[in-house]
Amino acid sequence: MDGNRRFARQHHIETVEGHNLGFEALARILEVCYKSGVQVVTIYAFSIENFQRSQREVDHLMEIAKVKLMQLSQHGDILDRYGASIRIVGRRDLLRPDVRVELDKAAALTKNNNSAILNVCFPYTSRDEMTTAIRETVEDYLRPVPPRRRHFSESHITRNIRARNTSTSPENRDLLREPENTGEAEVSDSQSSSTTLHPGSSVSAAHNEEPITAATSVTSLDHLPNFLDVEAITPASLDEHMYTHDNPPLDLLVRTSGVERLSDFMLWQSHEKTSIVFIDCFWPAFDLWHFLPVLWEWQWKQRRRFLDSWNSAEPTPLKVE
């Protein structure tokens, strides 16, 4: 949706009127898209960098968005006729509270529509979207994972063996009884046991120290927090945190106004099969006759790609029984 201000200057009208005409062009294009079977339409309505414009223009854009999106969402209008739902994607926290309320109302009116989607990027930049996705992914991997009880872990088996030996061994049962030996025997036993467990240490040190066994060290490891393996992070991990994570792949990206750049829009979603088309036409003047050739060319390319892949496939050998 680029070129509203330049269209207004070219036709000697107010900038606000150029933005109004831009939303009227949006209604026309949505009609063409949904009639053609397009399931997801994403529009770049407002960039985060647009906040650097004059306060008067920003306020007018906010008011236009409130009114126009609510009109599109009304019963009997285009979104209702084609079963399309509105999704506001971007930095909602940067919007005024009254604007957020109106946008939420428009989204609520269409939340039950499930035939198509209209993503409204408002306010948005692709770099901010990717930064947010990376931050949320890091937070997921820094969050401890609840430990899973493993019935056959080494520490669990060790504890069971020790408990069984304690309850069944005659020697252990004797240890649990009251000692009947003389004091000298107790001292000699303690000295011999301490000498065995702690060679080179004094008797008093042996009474104050507990031997560290393998079972104790393994058991302590069970209480350490578990974290997800960062080596498991893939592009799919980041994709789950993108605004359009549940949308189909981006097939066609159209940029109007004759400028051949993406302007920080859908950078992550653009892939090797995305068709990018630059049109030398301001957005308010963008109509059916500009858009239909773009759709036809994309369909032709899709058909040719399908035929090429079908012809390159190896024939299945005939099996006769």
Side-chain angles (χ1 to χ4, degrees):
M1 298 174 63
D2 186 39
N4 295 340
R5 294 194 299 174
R6 280 169 286 174
F7 181 87
R9 287 195 297 266
Q10 188 181 73
H11 290 79
H12 307 289
I13 58 178
E14 291 289 334
T15 302
V16 177
E17 185 61 25
H19 291 305
N20 276 316
L21 294 175
F23 271 94
E24 293 181 7
L26 172 62
R28 296 194 303 266
I29 298 304
L30 288 178
E31 187 91 30
V32 177
C33 289
Y34 295 141
K35 277 187 176 181
S36 303
V38 177
Q39 295 182 341
V40 180
V41 178
T42 303
I43 61 172
Y44 201 179
F46 192 87
S47 169
I48 294 177
E49 297 177 355
N50 290 154
F51 282 112
Q52 300 175 6
R53 297 181 180 181
S54 67
Q55 190 60 45
R56 178 175 178 273
E57 183 178 357
V58 171
D59 290 340
H60 279 301
L61 283 170
M62 296 295 169
E63 294 301 322
I64 292 173
K66 288 165 52 177
V67 174
K68 296 298 183 180
L69 291 179
M70 184 60 70
Q71 289 177 356
L72 291 175
S73 307
Q74 294 297 325
H75 177 71
D77 213 303
I78 180 172
L79 297 181
D80 182 63
R81 293 200 310 270
Y82 292 99
S85 61
I86 287 183
R87 296 183 182 180
I88 309 298
V89 299
R91 291 286 303 278
R92 293 165 46 87
D93 58 296
L94 299 179
L95 298 174
R96 299 194 321 245
D98 61 306
V99 177
R100 289 200 301 267
V101 170
E102 294 300 319
L103 296 183
D104 288 341
K105 288 181 180 178
L109 288 174
T110 62
K111 65 179 181 179
N112 294 324
N113 298 342
N114 52 18
S115 297
I117 296 173
L118 172 61
N119 292 320
V120 181
C121 297
F122 191 91
Y124 168 93
T125 64
S126 187
R127 288 175 296 174
D128 181 79
E129 178 186 19
M130 289 187 285
T131 302
T132 302
I134 293 172
R135 183 185 304 114
E136 293 177 354
T137 302
V138 171
E139 291 174 355
D140 287 346
Y141 279 77
L142 289 179
R143 189 179 299 116
V145 179
R148 295 182 301 174
R149 179 177 176 82
R150 297 180 299 171
H151 296 285
F152 300 102
S153 65
E154 183 178 353
S155 59
H156 182 73
I157 295 174
T158 303
R159 287 195 299 268
N160 286 342
I161 294 175
R162 294 178 63 194
R164 184 177 304 172
N165 291 339
T166 301
S167 60
T168 59
S169 175
E171 293 80 0
N172 291 328
R173 285 201 299 268
D174 292 339
L175 290 175
L176 295 175
R177 297 173 185 168
E178 291 294 331
E180 299 177 357
N181 297 330
T182 63
E184 295 179 356
E186 292 178 358
V187 173
S188 62
D189 290 342
S190 63
Q191 289 177 346
S192 62
S193 62
S194 63
T195 304
T196 303
L197 295 176
H198 303 277
S201 62
S202 63
V203 176
S204 60
H207 284 289
N208 295 329
E209 296 180 2
E210 293 184 358
I212 300 176
T213 62
T216 306
S217 61
V218 173
T219 303
S220 63
L221 292 178
D222 291 345
H223 299 283
L224 293 177
N226 297 322
F227 297 93
L228 296 174
D229 184 10
V230 295
E231 297 295 333
I233 297 178
T234 63
S237 305
L238 297 179
D239 192 62
E240 293 175 357
H241 295 280
M242 296 294 169
Y243 298 134
T244 58
H245 63 93
D246 57 346
N247 291 171
L250 177 62
D251 293 318
L252 179 62
L253 193 152
V254 179
R255 171 70 188 266
T256 58
S257 77
V259 178
E260 297 185 0
R261 61 175 184 267
L262 297 181
S263 297
D264 212 352
F265 178 60
M266 305 290 280
L267 301 181
W268 177 268
Q269 292 80 1
S270 300
H271 52 89
E272 68 277 4
K273 294 183 180 179
T274 300
S275 297
I276 301 177
V277 180
F278 299 102
I279 298 179
D280 190 9
C281 167
F282 295 133
W283 175 253
F286 191 62
D287 56 12
L288 176 67
W289 306 110
H290 291 96
F291 192 40
L292 277 182
V294 175
L295 285 179
W296 288 336
E297 183 179 3
W298 178 82
Q299 291 176 344
W300 177 77
K301 289 181 179 179
Q302 289 294 106
R303 179 177 175 82
R304 187 180 64 180
R305 185 180 295 120
F306 171 77
L307 292 176
D308 291 342
S309 61
W310 185 77
N311 291 330
S312 61
E314 295 182 2
T316 304
L318 180 63
K319 183 178 181 181
V320 180
E321 296 183 352

